[in-house]
Amino acid sequence: MSDVLMEVKNLKKYFNTKQGMLHAVDDVSFKIFKGETLGLVGESGCGKSTTGRAILRLHEPTSGEVYFNSENILNYNKTQMKAMRKKLQIVFQDPYSSLNPRLSVYDLIADSLYVNKDVVSKNEIGEQISYVMDLVGLEKRLVNSFPHELDGGRRQRIGIARALILNPEFIVLDEPVSALDVSIQAQVLNLLDELQNELGLTYMFVAHNLSVVKHISDRIAVMYLGKIVELTDYKNIFADPLHPYTQALLSAIPIPKYGLERKRIVLEGDVPSPINPPPGCVFYGRCRERMDICKEVSPKLDVKKENHFVACHLYNGIDQN
Ligand SMILES: Nc1ncnc2c1ncn2[C@@H]1O[C@H](COP(=O)(O)OP(=O)(O)OP(=O)(O)O)[C@@H](O)[C@H]1O
Ligand code: SF4
Ligand SMILES: [Mg+2]
């Protein structure tokens, strides 16, 4: 078994809202192995970004544990966390709104060094910027350009360069290609893949939809209303989806590679509100296979087959230990 880089245990992030306690991330546990990409997939509002931010402590978790190289970083004080931040980076969905429009490419990338107080000599900064621009495929002539002068792909390359200049080990990629033209999406995905191999990076890749993550993920976690409902190798997710929600998600995309004819499963009803959610299975209201127990008892994410975790009462009694 590969080395574990990140281990998240019983992570919760609740937001106190006027309407009540919003359970954005509700008791999730998972591991991320060194050098892998864990895809995190689910519909809008299911808690993907909040999970990514909470494990980096950009949102302070409500409770839980987050181990990075076996140390619980939730116990770190400010100084320890500052040093750790460099190793844990994030790339956002919309490179346009996440980049200060008044800064040039040079300053945008250098800014990342200043924020982290890693300031070295001007010459060295110049060299480092030149190095990361090369890494992410940004032409040197663009060093004094501003974000509005560049296309979406180049803007996202700046976002990636800002993360890379700190020499991170782990990057949360929060829908990094969703805002890009389809033709450019593949280029950025390829770049991320190459960078991972070259620099030995570990990724958590957040996406709405399974088709984006399938090309880049080693394993995929499916999220629904603040919970992970299935987690396994990307091949299993496509060839042998166990959770009724994963099956419905998959039925929306044709996958001729696996020679499977999928019947479209149309989910009835809407995703319930994450404010004061009822007990029992989060998918209960929309599940075609629900049973009495599902209404009362929340199913735990347990291993049901080799490397295949699922949270669903349909599989009670077949735990693989
Ligand atoms: N700062 C906040 N204050 C209150 N509620 C929040 C806050 N941030 C997120 N939420 C709520 O938490 C839930 C999860 O949001 P989150 O942004 O993590 O979802 P997501 O899966 O990333 O969605 P999307 O695919 O739209 O980006 C949503 O109900 C959202 O409204
Ligand atoms: S636990 Fe029950 S309601 Fe939930 S997904 Fe499984 S069968 Fe459906
Ligand atoms: Mg999001």
Side-chain angles (χ1 to χ4, degrees), residues 60-224:
E60 205 50 56
T62 305
S63 63
E65 293 155 57
V66 177
Y67 293 89
F68 183 76
N69 279 327
S70 307
E71 288 196 33
N72 186 359
I73 60 168
L74 299 193
N75 291 336
Y76 277 16
N77 62 27
K78 267 194 173 162
T79 322
Q80 289 171 306
M81 205 50 218
K82 204 163 206 172
M84 181 54 69
R85 286 238 173 276
K86 286 181 266 176
K87 297 186 185 174
L88 310 173
Q89 288 294 304
I90 185 162
V91 172
F92 297 100
Q93 170 177 355
D94 182 353
Y96 202 60
S97 65
S98 61
L99 297 176
N100 182 338
R102 286 186 295 273
L103 296 184
S104 66
V105 170
Y106 181 99
D107 288 328
L108 282 166
I109 302 176
D111 183 54
S112 197
L113 286 176
Y114 302 144
V115 170
N116 287 276
K117 300 265 185 309
D118 247 21
V119 186
V120 272
S121 73
K122 239 186 163 174
N123 269 352
E124 249 181 281
I125 293 179
E127 276 172 26
Q128 287 191 34
I129 289 175
S130 170
Y131 169 71
V132 285
M133 283 182 73
D134 237 18
L135 268 182
V136 302
L138 269 176
E139 303 92 320
K140 296 280 164 39
R141 65 183 167 83
L142 300 176
V143 71
N144 294 316
S145 306
F146 290 86
H148 71 267
E149 298 171 320
L150 305 175
D151 60 30
R154 289 197 174 86
R155 289 200 290 257
Q156 193 53 300
R157 285 172 200 263
I158 301 174
I160 299 168
R162 278 165 61 85
L164 288 183
I165 201 162
L166 297 162
N167 209 6
E169 288 180 43
F170 174 72
I171 307 182
V172 171
L173 300 162
D174 192 351
E175 308 221 30
V177 298
S178 309
L180 304 178
D181 289 347
V182 175
S183 58
I184 298 183
Q185 288 189 0
Q187 290 173 19
V188 174
L189 286 174
N190 285 340
L191 170 70
L192 290 167
D193 205 25
E194 284 163 23
L195 289 170
Q196 180 169 45
N197 293 333
E198 207 169 318
L199 306 172
L201 296 167
T202 303
Y203 293 152
M204 186 168 98
F205 193 111
V206 168
H208 266 85
N209 125 6
L210 277 162
S211 7
V212 175
V213 285
K214 80 171 172 191
H215 296 296
I216 193 160
S217 304
D218 297 289
R219 292 182 307 140
I220 293 178
V222 178
M223 210 168 172
Y224 188 86

Side-chain angles (χ1 to χ4, degrees), residues 291-319:
M291 305 167 283
D292 288 347
I293 183 179
C294 309
K295 192 171 185 182
E296 306 298 333
V297 184
S298 172
K300 288 208 164 19
L301 187 71
D302 272 331
V303 62
K304 300 297 176 183
K305 292 186 177 180
E306 200 184 352
N307 295 325
H308 200 149
F309 295 80
V310 65
C312 173
H313 292 305
L314 286 175
Y315 305 95
N316 284 354
I318 57 161
D319 298 67

Side-chain angles (χ1 to χ4, degrees), residues 244-257:
Y245 177 59
T246 315
Q247 290 166 358
L249 275 186
L250 269 169
S251 76
I253 42 172
I255 310 152
K257 189 178 160 193

